[in-house]
Amino acid sequence: MTVEPAPGVPLAFDPDSLAIAMIGVHKWYGAFHVLRNINLDVRRGERIVICGPSGSGKSTLIRCINRLEEHQQGSIVVDGVELTADLKRIDTVRRDVGMVFQQFNLFPHLTILENCTLAPIWVKKMPKREAEELAMRLLTRVKIPEQAGKYPGQLSGGQQQRVAIARALCMNPKIMLFDEPTSALDPEMVKEVLDTMTGLAQDGMTMIVVTHEMGFAREIADRVVFMDNGEIVEINAPKEFFENPQHERTKLFLSQILH
Amino acid sequence: MTQTVEQSRPSFFNDPRIRGYAYQALLVAALVALVWTAAYNAYVNMEARGIPMGFGFWDQTAGFDISQKLIPYSSLSTYGQAFWVGLLNTALVGALGVLLATPLGFAIGVARLSPNWILARIAQVYVEIMRNTPLLLQLLFWYNAVLKALPGPRQSITLTSLVFLNNRGLYVPKPVFGPGSQWLALALALGIVGAFAYRLWARRRQALTGAQAPVGIIAAAFCLGLPAIAYFAAGRPVEFDLAQLVGFNLRGGVQVSPELAALAFGLITYTAGFIAEIVRSGVLAVSSGQSEAASALGLRSGLTMKLVVIPQAMRLITPPLTSQYLSLVKNSSLAVFIGYPDLVQVFAGTVLNQTQAAVQVMAITMGVYLVISLAVALALNVTNARHALKER
């Protein structure tokens, strides 16, 4: 599959080094135009932070990348596979893309270990013991192996979110999407989740993170994307983005969020 | 360092504990007085009118016949036997109702959630009609307006001469078990055991190697295939006695009376409307985040339903579903209005009228419903406690 650059949007990188290419993507909810002409290329190993006011389409954008939402115009190519209604392609993309949600979305009827082994066993057809060993390795990586036998309701928010990260990593994804992973957490638990994400970034994971944690953006992001009203207003390196924002809307947003 | 500070005791009349005991003692005294007055009144009045006081009527000859009996009974039988006939008839309609209302209700509930617009609207209309008209009216409708309005036996409505429907009821083929039928029963038992063994084997194999198997299809093949093979191998030991028109009436087969048919059909369709709503709300109550998380992990919709949505929905569905089953059994007492001989019609109706032992008969009848309901509620509470989500 080749990626054709949309008119006026030069493709900055060689397609093979691209993890995600979004070209001229539009999406509507009924009459509401939620994504307007989104063009975004993400290199392998790149860390992107997406920020913007609420309702600006940030979540919708990353949910289009693993087809939790359908886009209606333009093309999205994830790891060389263009997303269409084709179920096989959606399966392929979802195997390669892990996702972490604001509300954790752990399965409350399964133990922590079972949460982590469910997809490896049923999607990758992995033997149970192998899946459990994998899950324990990743639970150790997010520093909660001792909680494996408990149920999600017995864990704190921060612990649940780290389990959610471990659960996604069990599928050995090439790309990780984070949809406001710390917004539902109590303040004292934000750090443990951000530390886990920083560790992941340092290991070279391709990451797209929707967040309001500007400290994390400054420290970890390769590029910061600012969205407003369904369109990408500005994309810049974090230093430039925070110190020298180009657009009025970006300046306004930053003045509201950085006190 | 902890320091104990002696709290000053409240005065006797202002102590909330003492006040609490006093109120409870007053309530108990009032209740005892009320019950005793009622019982004493009943006793005096019954004695004055010569109404029997004990349970001696239980072994007396009933002297009336019952149109539908699952155990031997005639007008020479006792009131006690009439009680059992009524109870079994109630149990029959209750069991039929629960067995058939469940799949119908689940199907309609799922249909209401279907993305197919027409299907969802039809299911919605069904649910609204069933839930928003009185059950008694529905039973009278099925009995008087549908079943009694059917043609006589000679103009029966028939389904390829296997099933007949007329104003005397519903006629279905009656299986006659000849010699060799035991092989069929054995094959069915083996098939069920085989299906469970296969499921166990498939699970173990999946745990060891990760390979998945179509357990449902193969289990069904075991349960249906083995008896089918046995049926032919044993030389077709089971024959079906079909209803046939002889003179002015149908003979043979199993006759389901119009009363039973109307009552069962009415209870099933009515309760299914409620079950459909319970199923729909159970599935909807599982947050969409759950299926999104499963999708994001790469699970397809079938597996998402099986592994994530249904296990959580069932937890929510089971308690109200059980209370619907109880309602169905209790609602079956409306049988009295269309003349189906259930416990209420036979025992709390005819037996009460003949013996005049109103207090005893009513107490027994209520006791039966109470015992059934409490037993089911107890079983439900035990299973609920076992399946509750663990939090904290």
Side-chain angles (χ1 to χ4, degrees), chain A residues 12 21 45 87 92 115 134 141 144 160 174 198 230 237:
Chain A
L87 288 175
T92 312
N115 263 278
L134 170 71
R141 182 167 168 185
I144 35 175
Q160 289 194 49
K174 295 176 182 161
T198 305

Side-chain angles (χ1 to χ4, degrees), chain A residues 172-200:
Chain A
N172 196 20
K174 295 176 182 161
I175 300 163
M176 283 287 282
L177 307 175
F178 292 85
D179 189 1
E180 304 205 28
T182 57
S183 300
L185 294 175
D186 289 335
E188 76 272 22
M189 291 167 184
V190 170
K191 187 170 179 297
E192 62 186 64
V193 171
L194 289 181
D195 285 349
T196 309
M197 291 165 62
T198 305
L200 208 54

Side-chain angles (χ1 to χ4, degrees), chain A residues 112-234:
Chain A
I112 299 308
L113 189 65
E114 288 165 346
N115 263 278
C116 293
T117 58
L118 187 79
I121 287 176
W122 288 96
V123 179
K124 288 201 163 172
K125 301 186 169 53
M126 200 182 271
K128 191 174 175 202
R129 177 176 296 187
E130 199 181 312
E132 285 177 351
E133 285 167 1
L134 170 71
M136 286 312 294
R137 273 205 302 283
L138 288 161
L139 286 173
T140 308
R141 182 167 168 185
V142 300
K143 300 192 180 68
I144 35 175
E146 72 282 359
Q147 309 286 358
K150 290 193 181 167
Y151 285 86
Q154 297 170 302
L155 269 55
S156 74
Q159 289 174 324
Q160 289 194 49
Q161 195 60 297
R162 284 185 283 150
V163 172
I165 294 172
R167 177 176 73 175
L169 291 178
C170 277
M171 289 299 283
N172 196 20
K174 295 176 182 161
I175 300 163
M176 283 287 282
L177 307 175
F178 292 85
D179 189 1
E180 304 205 28
T182 57
S183 300
L185 294 175
D186 289 335
E188 76 272 22
M189 291 167 184
V190 170
K191 187 170 179 297
E192 62 186 64
V193 171
L194 289 181
D195 285 349
T196 309
M197 291 165 62
T198 305
L200 208 54
Q202 282 159 355
D203 289 347
M205 176 66 77
T206 309
M207 292 164 69
I208 301 189
V209 184
V210 172
T211 187
H212 294 124
E213 297 292 335
M214 290 302 130
F216 178 82
R218 211 185 278 265
E219 202 179 318
I220 298 301
D222 295 315
R223 284 188 292 164
V224 180
V225 174
F226 174 67
M227 286 184 74
D228 190 16
N229 202 18
E231 49 191 5
I232 293 179
V233 177
E234 187 166 347

